[in-house]
Amino acid sequence: DLFNTNAAIVRDLTAAVAESCPKAMLGIITNPVNSTVPIASEVLKKHGVYDPRRVFGVTTLDVVRSNTFIAEAKGLDVSKTNVPVIGGHSGITIIPLISQCTPPVSFPPEERVKLSTRIQNAGTEVVDAKAGAGSATLSMAYAAAEFCKSLIEALNGQEGKVQCAYVRSEETEAKYFATPVLLGKEGIEKNLGMGKLLDVEVNLLKAAMPELIANIQKGEQFVGDSK
Ligand SMILES: NC(=O)c1ccc[n+]([C@@H]2O[C@H](COP(=O)([O-])OP(=O)(O)OC[C@H]3O[C@@H](n4cnc5c(N)ncnc54)[C@H](O)[C@@H]3O)[C@@H](O)[C@H]2O)c1
């Protein structure tokens, strides 16, 4: 199944990174990201080389989708639209913060709920549309490229590079949580946190937590069980 196959790949590749290139920046896009980031982190810890500033779950695609859907709905230029997305990277753990969109946008409550739900289910929408021929590929590559470009620019000394990413976090009771992070020469320079949420966003957050925490525990357990 997807979990065991991908979990083992991430575990083994991370062990190779820990041995050969322990200071690498690790951008993990392999699903389920909610669990593969804890897996990579536990493996790095086992090797004594874990630096939480250097491990990222790539959730950029959730931001790309949010920007696209909101720009379409409001007739905005998508390249100038930016919606932070927090939480995790599957289903209800994906929390778009439409209230923090740049430029500011407003929607009637039902439309906001519909948009949030579409963003959360966008991966499934692609899987269904491809009807057995796989999942999102080009958009994933675009999102990965955007994240990596930002990170490389920050490593090269450009200031002010911010990306949402799923990282080790103290923001909530979940050990790993996506928020906007400021990138710098050593990886995460500062976690910018989730800012102020609307009540409806607080409710999305509450709904996400049990699944997110369970996904994290599943990843940690996987490494604990692999001797
Ligand atoms: N985070 C995101 O936004 C996002 C979005 C879409 C897909 N994904 C994930 O990205 C991953 C790749 O998706 P895809 O559609 O390109 O899958 P794919 O099956 O088309 O490609 C996977 C590739 O990995 C290679 N591979 C398998 N085992 C390997 C190993 N041990 N070492 C090195 N390479 C190995 C395979 O040969 C294959 O070329 C999946 O885990 C998918 O769930 C993430």
Side-chain angles (χ1 to χ4, degrees), residues 2 6 9 13 29-31 33 58 61 89 135-137 140:
L2 175 81
N6 288 0
I9 292 173
L13 286 177
I29 201 159
T30 308
N31 277 317
V33 168
V58 182
L61 184 51
H89 177 67
S135 64
T137 45
M140 166 178 59

Side-chain angles (χ1 to χ4, degrees), residues 106-117:
S106 74
F107 292 98
E110 328 72 74
E111 207 180 326
R112 183 186 289 271
V113 170
K114 255 173 109 179
L115 255 172
S116 299
T117 308

Side-chain angles (χ1 to χ4, degrees), residues 18-101:
E19 281 160 20
S20 312
C21 195
K23 288 198 155 271
M25 296 288 159
L26 219 48
I28 297 166
I29 201 159
T30 308
N31 277 317
V33 168
N34 290 1
S35 302
T36 52
V37 170
I39 288 170
S41 305
E42 289 302 308
V43 171
L44 293 169
K45 277 186 214 166
K46 272 191 171 176
H47 285 78
V49 295
Y50 179 52
D51 178 351
R53 297 172 303 168
R54 292 168 187 266
V55 181
F56 306 87
V58 182
T59 58
T60 317
L61 184 51
D62 302 317
V63 175
V64 168
R65 287 170 172 157
S66 304
N67 295 349
T68 305
F69 298 157
I70 286 169
E72 270 173 8
K74 290 289 175 192
L76 299 169
D77 175 350
V78 70
S79 69
K80 298 195 175 82
T81 306
N82 187 33
V83 184
V85 182
I86 64 167
H89 177 67
S90 70
I92 59 163
T93 69
I94 299 169
I95 307 165
L97 298 183
I98 299 175
S99 68
Q100 295 181 24
C101 181

